[in-house]
Amino acid sequence: MAIKKVLILNWKANPNSLGEAVSLASLINQYVPSLTNKYEIAVAVPSLYLIPLIQVLDKSVKLMAQSVNTSAIGPQTGALAPLMLKESGISYSLLGHSEERKRNQLANEEIASLLEANLRNDLKTTLCIGETMKGSKALEEIKQQIDQILLPLIGKYSTLEINNNVVLAYEPLWAIGSESGLNLNYIQKQMSSIKEYLDSKFANNLYLLYGGSVDLENVKQLLDLPVLSGVLIGEKSSQKDWLEDFLQSMI
Ligand code: PGA
């Protein structure tokens, strides 16, 4: 059986009420029978909506926290720990999104320790990596992120545990929220290099996703690239009309 491609809908800090979040979740549910035979669907939602949406979202859709920002429970006002998520029935998380890295000035080492805590607490993680700017240094920047965030897991966790619990999302910063149009050759090339680099480091079969300006016009072409296991779609996926067009187009 062909492996299903992954669609992650990252709502970011949207929508502005629980009622709207419920209505987006109900819309996704309507498309579950037509889409889940082809795709794994996940929705990354603001923390406030996680618990109520457990009751609403179809069980075949993965509900994802957008952020985990402390390794352990304790005196850290405002923080969210992996154990809290896991104990509340949330098994998936996004980590190291560039918007969060920038806002909280997160270094690779901090993200590495959050990733390690996620694995320790059995929380599956989609780790975002990607270069700040196009150019000759881009691949070096990505390799450094892999070296500093992902590779420290080797030795502490088995290859099987890493493969089963971590997904990598390649999100070049210049492509996020941009209207500039995507160069599929560039994406294919970067992602093949990422795969080659990972292969040189350990026996991985990590899912590699792409995120940044994925839209109705390019999603199918992206999903056809053999190196891609799926896509991550940003804010548009929290707009009801766009979401409906998208879900309809994927049938
Ligand atoms: P975008 O964002 O689809 O709006 O470019 C992707 C992301 O940041 O997750």
Side-chain angles (χ1 to χ4, degrees), residues 10 12 97 99 171 175-177 212-214 232-236:
N10 175 19
K12 307 199 178 185
H97 193 284
E99 289 160 2
E171 296 209 297
I176 296 177
S213 297
V214 179
L232 198 147
I233 303 173
E235 210 164 10
K236 293 176 282 298

Side-chain angles (χ1 to χ4, degrees), residues 59-228:
K59 294 288 169 274
S60 64
V61 179
K62 298 179 167 70
L63 188 56
M64 209 177 225
Q66 290 179 358
S67 157
V68 180
N69 40 43
T70 185
S71 301
I73 55 167
Q76 307 223 37
T77 307
L80 186 63
L83 185 61
M84 296 169 181
L85 289 164
K86 198 62 206 181
E87 291 293 315
S88 307
I90 307 295
S91 302
Y92 299 88
S93 66
L94 268 189
L95 189 68
H97 193 284
S98 57
E99 289 160 2
E100 192 185 12
R101 284 186 199 226
K102 190 167 165 215
R103 202 176 53 251
N104 296 335
Q105 299 186 345
L106 281 181
N108 288 341
E109 291 72 12
E110 291 167 273
I111 299 169
S113 80
L114 293 169
L115 178 62
E116 202 275 323
N118 281 2
L119 259 80
R120 211 176 333 116
N121 289 284
D122 204 17
L123 185 69
K124 293 188 192 291
T125 306
T126 297
L127 171 67
C128 301
I129 57 168
E131 73 271 18
T132 0
M133 285 196 291
K134 276 188 200 168
S136 54
K137 298 251 164 56
L139 203 56
E140 289 315 306
E141 200 180 343
I142 296 168
K143 285 182 182 171
Q144 194 181 49
Q145 292 169 3
I146 293 174
D147 289 348
Q148 294 182 344
I149 304 173
L150 184 68
L151 298 187
L153 293 177
I154 298 173
K156 290 190 197 147
Y157 294 90
S158 70
T159 305
L160 187 70
E161 283 169 313
I162 299 173
N163 283 328
N164 286 347
N165 289 291
V166 182
V167 167
L168 273 193
Y170 167 57
E171 296 209 297
L173 267 66
W174 49 265
I176 296 177
S178 120
E179 302 292 327
S180 61
L182 292 183
N183 179 335
L184 296 196
N185 286 337
Y186 181 86
I187 294 168
Q188 164 81 28
K189 192 163 148 278
Q190 291 296 86
M191 293 187 66
S192 302
S193 304
I194 293 172
K195 173 143 186 45
E196 216 170 275
Y197 188 63
L198 290 169
D199 288 345
S200 75
K201 296 293 174 183
F202 72 114
N204 81 94
N205 55 18
L206 294 178
Y207 271 41
L208 282 186
L209 312 186
Y210 170 78
S213 297
V214 179
D215 211 332
L216 296 174
E217 299 78 50
N218 56 29
V219 65
K220 293 263 176 64
Q221 286 165 295
L222 282 164
L223 289 170
D224 280 345
L225 297 179
V227 67
L228 244 92

